[in-house]
Amino acid sequence: MEVSSKENTHFFSNNTVLPVDRSSFKSESSASKEKQACCGGLKIFLGALSFVYFAKALSGSYLKSTITQIERRFDIPSSLVGVIDGSFEIGNLLIIILVSYFGAKLHRPRIIGAGCLIMSAGTFLIAMPQFFMGRYRYEIFSSTINSTVSLSPCLQDKSQTPLSALEKSQAKVNAGCEKEAGSSMWIYVLLGNLLRGIGCVQTVAIIGPIFGFLLGSLCAKLYVDIGFVDLDTVTISPKDAQWVGAWWLGYLIAGLISILAGIPFWFLPRHLPRPQGRKDSSTSSEHSRFITEDSKDQGTSSWQQAKLAEMAKDFLPSLKNLFGNPVYILYLCASIIQFNSLIGMVTYKPKYIEQQYGQTSSKTNFVIGLINIPAVAFGIFSGGLIMKRFGVGVVGAAKLSLGSSFFGYLLLLSLFAMGCGNSEVAGLTVSYHGAEAVSDHEQALFSECNSGCSCSRSDWDPICGENGVTYVSPCLAGCRASNGTGKNTVFFNCSCVGTFESSQSSSAVVGPCQKGNECPKMFLYFLVISVITSYTLSVGGTPGYILLLRCIKPHLKSFALGIYTLAIRVLAGIPAPVYFGVAIDTACLKWGSKRCGGRGACRLYDSSALRYVYLGLTLVLGMVSIFFSVAVLCVLRKKSSPQDETLSANGERGACGTKSRKDSFVNSDQLIQSTYWPEKETRL
């Protein structure tokens, strides 16, 4: 009957001329304009914020793609590169408390704009050493540079001194040696990355890392001093261990993008106007306080002081309540250890692919950006879809998160069988006679075949003999003559090449030999397993986050998420790249030497040792995190009733089901949150 009357009313309203109240039209028109203004301002804000997310993610992923380039350019070990990578989190921690406190009191859009400027300044600072250090110098035999003078690589006349050795002897007495070598210029990179952390906003964008790695792929193809030197005189290729791409160019591009991303925020109002229909709303959420007409809704100064005093008084009890929750503590431990595993793995994944499979930096970054990162995005989406489609509850979310980690690390275990053997380098991985491998105690670069030559042990100027063996330098290969210049240089009468078993010639060419024929096939297998592993591990991301939210009381959720984020950054984001780098350094077979003396960047790794260190450390940490995840599931099963393991898709049933159960939970301080609040989680 009620429906019928409404239909009749609708009919007569469409066919009857009624008196018109013009004031109502005006109010409706003004309300419509206010709504359009609010929606327009909100769209601009969200669009600009999305662009900031993109800029931050792009610069962050580009840093990961240039890890090996920075290491070679500044002649520093992987452990120090890990410190540089972790400096981003340090910078973030320095400012996060101030931003959290003053962000609600000041002009928020301009705070974001200022953060973009700081982030762009840090990105530009990272690139600055390229313009201070001078041109990149790599070790090379002098005859490959000067076409008019041809020196014998193997100097039988002791008075004849190679150019590289002469430069080193002069550099040792040169007071400006350290400045010329740029031994401390990496500090600019560290400070720049620290500034990026100070100016960053939390990223949710996945397209930024894709473009970041693709940009890294493009820049890695270009020589570091492009535009400053004649590229025809460059004798190394992207496959050489001394190759450094135009790593600085991407930071200039990323810095410019960060500046562009911050411009719109300087023209947005302090508060977005609220639509007429919502002005009387009593909601007090964070976003409703932002979309408001004036600042009077924030209360008086005395009220704020009283509220702060109340919050300070409640801090210790809240902290005790939070750490007294076994589900939260166990899940926090599991997350910290798993993020150590994942951060270390992602940071040095480009380096691992380059060293293990002999791929260039350009191809490595292209593969990661175009294959691995989309797999991660699809995995996160799939996890959320599963949660929504099947109405997964708290225990189900714990199972899904545990299963994702277990099968992901199980797949990672198979990568141990998908490695390449060591490159055959005379005196390092094989003997000069090729009969047996060289052990750790027999890494002798000198042999009878080069005993009559004045060679340096520290040089790294690899050549490839026609026998398929790489020699550390033309001198150590015993080469007596050379022909050609630059990349076309050919060495002849190489005594060590001729003594190698089954050798048909004694000539060699510039650059290291390629790895074995099985490597391309192993690299393909690695890519397939790596993509599946990335997807599998990412599926558990959304269920794990939902589990974190539901195991905490509603009034402690923001506090719990803050502690969680802080713990991940301090205990995973900062230390993981450092100790992963230290472990990787132990697999180095041949260290480079700085121009002024001292150990530089690693030139050659033991492939087997690198595989066991890199994958082994990742797996050990992953297995420990799975142990804590199992403990989380056991506690949940113990504290939850059978009906709590299911949750309707619309969120009407919570983790505790009935009202009496809810009351019992509140009074007895149980583990599981009584009601699932979709709106609350969306706001968080």
Side-chain angles (χ1 to χ4, degrees):
M1 192 69 183
E2 182 181 353
V3 175
S4 177
S5 64
K6 288 183 178 179
E7 290 177 351
N8 292 334
T9 303
H10 179 70
F11 173 80
F12 283 108
S13 66
N14 289 336
N15 294 276
T16 306
V17 178
L18 298 176
V20 178
D21 187 358
R22 297 185 180 274
S23 63
S24 64
F25 278 140
K26 292 181 180 179
S27 62
E28 290 178 3
S29 176
S30 61
S32 176
K33 290 181 179 179
E34 288 183 7
K35 183 177 181 180
Q36 290 178 358
C38 175
C39 292
L42 187 60
K43 288 179 180 178
I44 294 174
F45 175 78
L46 292 178
L49 191 62
S50 299
F51 192 42
V52 172
Y53 289 156
F54 169 81
K56 181 264 174 185
L58 183 144
S59 59
S61 58
Y62 183 76
L63 178 68
K64 301 287 187 186
S65 72
T66 58
I67 286 293
T68 55
Q69 312 292 318
I70 292 174
E71 182 178 327
R72 294 169 184 172
R73 183 65 177 98
F74 299 97
D75 263 333
I76 55 178
S78 297
S79 56
L80 192 52
V81 173
V83 175
I84 294 174
D85 185 76
S87 64
F88 176 85
E89 301 294 349
I90 298 175
N92 196 273
L93 292 174
L94 292 176
I95 201 67
I96 190 171
I97 297 178
L98 294 177
V99 171
S100 300
Y101 179 74
F102 290 105
K105 301 177 180 295
L106 303 177
H107 197 298
R108 293 187 221 188
R110 290 184 181 176
I111 290 178
I112 298 176
C116 292
L117 291 180
I118 295 174
M119 189 164 61
S120 64
T123 309
F124 285 135
L125 184 60
I126 294 176
M128 286 302 102
Q130 174 64 22
F131 305 99
F132 299 152
M133 294 175 63
R135 306 285 74 83
Y136 174 56
R137 298 182 181 181
Y138 51 91
E139 298 166 291
I140 191 165
F141 178 61
S142 59
S143 65
T144 61
I145 301 176
N146 192 341
S147 59
T148 61
V149 178
S150 180
L151 298 176
S152 170
C154 178
L155 301 173
Q156 295 180 335
D157 183 3
K158 304 296 183 181
S159 63
Q160 188 178 7
T161 307
L163 182 61
S164 60
L166 180 62
E167 287 182 344
K168 289 179 181 178
S169 62
Q170 292 176 347
K172 288 181 180 179
V173 297
N174 188 355
C177 175
E178 290 295 325
K179 181 178 179 181
E180 181 184 2
S183 59
S184 301
M185 285 292 179
W186 58 268
I187 297 178
Y188 285 89
V189 182
L190 185 145
L191 292 177
N193 200 35
L194 189 143
L195 278 180
R196 283 186 57 249
I198 290 177
C200 90
V201 292
Q202 185 64 28
T203 178
V204 295
I206 199 65
I207 193 173
I210 295 176
F211 279 90
F213 276 101
L214 293 181
L215 179 62
S217 174
L218 174 63
C219 294
K221 288 182 179 180
L222 308 175
Y223 184 63
V224 60
D225 291 325
I226 185 172
F228 299 98
V229 298
D230 183 5
L231 298 182
D232 292 335
T233 62
V234 178
T235 60
I236 56 176
S237 67
K239 291 187 177 182
D240 197 285
Q242 298 182 91
W243 176 267
V244 176
W247 60 276
W248 52 273
L249 184 60
Y251 290 109
L252 297 181
I253 296 174
L256 182 61
I257 292 176
S258 297
I259 290 179
L260 295 176
I263 291 177
F265 292 98
W266 294 96
F267 300 96
L268 288 174
R270 180 171 181 174
H271 302 288
L272 296 179
R274 189 189 301 175
Q276 183 71 28
R278 295 191 59 190
K279 285 185 178 181
D280 297 331
S281 175
S282 60
T283 179
S284 60
S285 65
E286 183 67 20
H287 68 272
S288 68
R289 289 198 298 270
F290 173 57
I291 307 176
T292 186
E293 289 185 331
D294 51 49
S295 60
K296 294 180 181 179
D297 294 339
Q298 295 181 5
T300 62
S301 177
S302 59
W303 179 83
Q304 289 181 352
Q305 292 177 0
K307 186 177 180 181
L308 288 175
E310 181 182 353
M311 291 174 60
K313 183 179 180 181
D314 192 50
F315 178 79
L316 289 180
S318 298
L319 190 65
K320 181 179 179 181
N321 196 329
L322 195 61
F323 284 103
N325 187 332
V327 175
Y328 178 78
I329 290 299
L330 289 173
Y331 183 77
L332 180 63
C333 293
S335 298
I336 290 173
I337 297 174
Q338 186 174 33
F339 271 101
N340 270 271
S341 171
L342 297 179
I343 290 173
M345 180 179 68
V346 171
T347 300
Y348 293 100
K349 190 170 190 176
K351 185 184 187 71
Y352 177 77
I353 294 176
E354 292 176 35
Q355 297 295 332
Q356 186 69 212
Y357 301 101
Q359 302 297 320
T360 63
S361 296
S362 176
K363 185 175 181 179
T364 298
N365 293 326
F366 182 82
V367 166
I368 294 176
L370 208 61
I371 299 178
N372 277 90
I373 295 179
V376 172
F378 187 56
I380 295 174
F381 174 78
S382 299
L385 187 64
I386 293 172
M387 292 286 293
K388 181 178 178 61
R389 176 67 179 82
F390 298 101
V392 180
V394 178
V395 177
K399 290 180 179 178
L400 185 57
S401 179
L402 174 60
S404 168
S405 298
F406 177 78
F407 287 107
Y409 285 110
L410 192 64
L411 286 168
L412 198 64
L413 184 64
S414 64
L415 294 181
F416 279 100
M418 300 177 188
C420 294
N422 283 322
S423 299
E424 293 187 337
V425 182
L428 293 176
T429 60
V430 295
S431 68
Y432 278 90
H433 299 285
E436 72 279 342
V438 178
S439 66
D440 292 338
H441 303 287
E442 298 175 341
Q443 292 181 5
L445 293 175
F446 299 103
S447 180
E448 293 180 0
C449 61
N450 57 28
S451 59
C453 304
S454 300
C455 304
S456 171
R457 183 192 299 269
S458 60
D459 284 345
W460 177 262
D461 182 18
I463 62 172
C464 179
E466 289 195 2
N467 53 10
V469 176
T470 299
Y471 296 87
V472 173
S473 68
C475 182
L476 289 172
C479 300
R480 262 73 177 179
S482 64
N483 186 23
T485 60
K487 298 178 182 179
N488 299 320
T489 302
V490 179
F491 298 94
F492 299 101
N493 299 328
C494 303
S495 57
C496 294
V497 177
T499 59
F500 203 93
E501 65 178 21
S502 72
S503 176
Q504 302 296 324
S505 176
S506 60
S507 63
V509 295
V510 173
C513 299
Q514 298 299 312
K515 287 207 168 189
N517 296 328
E518 79 285 353
C519 243
K521 182 172 64 176
M522 287 295 180
F523 180 56
L524 182 61
Y525 294 156
F526 170 83
L527 290 182
V528 173
I529 298 299
S530 178
V531 169
I532 299 175
T533 301
S534 298
Y535 171 79
T536 305
L537 289 172
S538 301
V539 168
T542 302
Y545 184 74
I546 296 300
L547 170 63
L548 176 66
L549 291 176
R550 294 187 192 174
C551 74
I552 300 298
K553 290 181 178 181
H555 67 283
L556 292 177
K557 282 188 177 182
S558 297
F559 185 46
L561 287 175
I563 295 294
Y564 179 84
T565 304
L566 181 66
I568 294 298
R569 287 176 173 171
V570 173
L571 301 179
I574 296 175
V578 178
Y579 66 77
F580 261 82
V582 172
I584 288 174
D585 283 340
T586 62
C588 184
L589 289 176
K590 178 69 172 70
W591 289 96
S593 58
K594 294 183 179 180
R595 188 171 302 276
C596 304
R599 194 174 74 175
C602 185
R603 304 302 188 192
L604 179 68
Y605 287 90
D606 185 332
S607 295
S608 298
L610 178 62
R611 182 167 64 253
Y612 290 129
V613 167
Y614 175 76
L615 296 178
L617 191 53
T618 302
L619 276 172
V620 168
L621 291 171
M623 292 298 108
V624 176
S625 71
I626 288 177
F627 170 79
F628 281 101
S629 297
V630 171
V632 170
L633 183 59
C634 292
V635 174
L636 285 174
R637 283 182 173 276
K638 182 179 179 181
K639 298 293 183 180
S640 302
S641 61
Q643 61 267 27
D644 294 334
E645 298 186 13
T646 60
L647 179 69
S648 61
N650 59 10
E652 292 178 358
R653 288 188 61 192
C656 298
T658 64
K659 186 177 185 299
S660 60
R661 173 83 179 183
K662 176 181 177 181
D663 295 338
S664 175
F665 166 76
V666 174
N667 294 331
S668 60
D669 196 18
Q670 294 293 329
L671 290 171
I672 311 302
Q673 177 190 338
S674 61
T675 307
Y676 171 47
W677 295 355
E679 185 181 0
K680 182 74 173 178
E681 293 179 4
T682 303
R683 292 175 186 172
L684 289 174

